């Protein structure tokens, strides 16, 4: 059995996590703190950031603080990262994690849904990367940048098309920047998770037949075999970043799907088309967040969702999603 050498220490480095106030972002920040980094969380909601900092300080490790910032605002991202680099006299690690998830048929989500996904997911990653790179190039430790994509960016997922399109652009950005930044001593890690039990169904946006869309998404996102423990996912992502890996794909199902699509794209597309036939059809235009659907629209299959989604519901409570 091959034994990997110990990952290089990142103790004392300054790290920024966008979308760091809840879910996977919060857990990646926790992993950085465990490695004794000085961590700065970026997110839009000040109250949510305050709760996140409180949780992280209870968990212990390095230092942590929060900065309110909307990654869709290019100038704001540039200003905030410059301030962080100045305050800490360095910027060594940046994880671009912020984004949204929209669930529903493409015609129900409409062109606005695609524009919103590109603005939040892709433009957010792009703004973060371009603002961070000048500082990362000056890092004495050699800068590290991670762009969080998704298996949905490697294999288009029905009823998640705006999300898949935006994450596909993030995948291309990460791969291209990895090549271009190598001469500057900066490594770029493309992160492609599959389903993780982060409690993300609470903040996901649902369109079309919202009740049924919420039912299938919340059940699958929490299914023990298909989804991954989010704390384990965060640990693997930060380790990959620490080791300067160019790419990581998480969950066996995600790796299988991405590999199958690469080797047999026509067959894979036909299989995905068969899956799409059983998903909900029609429904209202526009979107509503998951907590609103769960509270007011009484999604079907309550007992099945209760069984499959139990771990995900607990994750929502633990990882600042409520």
């Amino acid at each position: 059995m091959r034994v990997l050498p110990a990952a290089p220490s990142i103790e004392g480095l300054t790290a920024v996590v966008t979308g760091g106030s809840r879910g996977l972002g919060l857990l990646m920040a926790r992993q950085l703190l465990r490695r004794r980094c000085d961590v700065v969380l970026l997110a839009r909601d000040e109250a949510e950031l305050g709760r996140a900092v409180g949780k992280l300080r209870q968990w212990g490790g390095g230092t942590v603080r929060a900065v309110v910032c909307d990654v869709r605002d290019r100038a704001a991202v540039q200003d905030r990262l410059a301030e962080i680099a100045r305050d800490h006299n360095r910027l060594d690690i940046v994880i671009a994690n912020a984004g949204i998830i929209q669930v529903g048929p493409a015609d129900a989500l409409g062109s606005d849904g695609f524009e919103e996904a590109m603005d939040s997911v892709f433009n957010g990653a792009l703004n973060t990367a371009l603002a961070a790179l000048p500082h990362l190039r000056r890092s004495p430790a050699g800068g590290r940048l991670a762009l969080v994509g998704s298996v949905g960016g490697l294999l288009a997922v029905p009823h998640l098309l705006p999300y898949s399109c935006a994450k596909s652009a993030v995948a291309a950005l990460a791969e291209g920047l990895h090549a271009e930044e190598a001469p500057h001593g900066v490594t770029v890690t493309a992160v492609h998770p599959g389903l993780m039990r982060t409690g993300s169904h609470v903040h996901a946006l649902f369109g079309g037949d919202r009740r049924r869309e919420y039912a299938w998404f919340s059940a699958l996102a929490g299914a023990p075999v298909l989804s991954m423990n989010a704390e384990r996912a965060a640990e693997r992502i930060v380790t990959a970043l620490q080791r300067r890996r160019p790419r990581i794909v998480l969950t066996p199902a995600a790796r299988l799907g991405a590999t199958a699509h690469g080797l047999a794209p026509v067959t894979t597309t036909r299989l995905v088309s068969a899956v799409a036939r059983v998903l909900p059809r029609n429904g209202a235009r526009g979107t509503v967040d998951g907590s609103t659907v769960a509270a007011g629209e009484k999604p079907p299959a309550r007992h099945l969702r209760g069984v499959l989604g139990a771990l995900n519901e607990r994750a929502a409570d633990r990882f600042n999603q409520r």
Side-chain angles (χ1 to χ4, degrees), residues 71-306:
V71 294
R72 298 172 298 181
D73 185 335
R74 183 181 308 164
V77 177
Q78 290 176 336
D79 290 345
R80 299 295 84 75
L81 291 187
E83 289 167 4
I84 292 165
R86 185 174 63 248
D87 292 346
H88 291 261
N89 294 315
R90 62 191 301 159
L91 181 56
D92 308 289
I93 297 170
V94 174
I95 301 178
N97 170 70
I100 60 173
I101 302 174
Q102 303 135 303
V103 185
D107 60 349
L109 298 175
S111 60
D112 287 347
F114 284 84
E115 290 174 7
E116 289 168 6
M118 290 299 293
D119 198 20
S120 180
V121 176
F122 176 66
N123 287 341
L126 177 63
N127 292 340
T128 302
L130 294 182
L133 285 171
H135 305 290
L136 295 176
R137 289 169 186 164
R138 294 193 291 270
S139 166
R144 293 171 170 89
L145 173 67
L147 303 184
V148 178
S150 167
V151 68
L154 307 176
L155 168 67
V157 180
H159 288 225
L160 287 166
L161 281 183
Y163 179 79
S164 283
C165 289
K167 289 296 190 181
S168 179
V170 171
L173 178 65
E175 190 172 315
L177 286 179
H178 182 82
E180 290 192 8
E181 289 302 313
H184 299 288
V186 176
T187 51
V188 182
T189 301
V191 180
H192 300 296
L195 291 169
M196 294 174 295
R197 296 187 290 276
T198 62
S200 62
H201 63 291
V202 174
H203 288 278
L205 301 171
F206 295 89
D209 186 342
R210 297 187 293 252
R211 296 171 60 254
R212 294 177 65 202
E213 297 287 355
Y214 177 88
W216 78 259
F217 182 82
S218 60
L220 289 185
V225 175
L226 291 176
S227 65
M228 183 177 187
N229 176 283
E231 291 169 298
R232 172 61 176 153
E235 190 276 330
R236 289 191 58 190
I237 292 167
V238 173
T239 298
L241 178 69
Q242 197 172 351
R243 293 182 182 278
R244 300 184 180 275
R245 287 182 57 184
R247 170 169 152 148
I248 179 172
V249 181
L250 291 172
T251 81
R255 288 195 295 273
L256 177 62
T259 301
H261 187 261
L263 295 174
V266 173
T267 301
T268 306
T269 300
R270 286 173 176 164
L271 288 172
V272 172
S273 297
V275 172
R277 293 178 184 275
V278 303
L279 293 176
R281 299 182 186 181
N282 304 319
R285 284 187 172 274
T287 56
V288 175
D289 68 82
S291 60
T292 301
V293 177
E297 302 195 18
K298 297 183 179 178
R302 180 170 63 89
H303 294 296
L304 180 62
R305 285 187 292 108

Side-chain angles (χ1 to χ4, degrees), residues 21-22 26 48 51-52 55 316-322:
S21 60
R22 63 176 187 247
L26 178 71
E48 196 173 76
R51 292 193 299 271
K55 283 180 176 289
D317 292 330
R318 293 178 60 207
F319 307 146
N320 205 29
Q321 298 279 19
R322 303 293 186 191

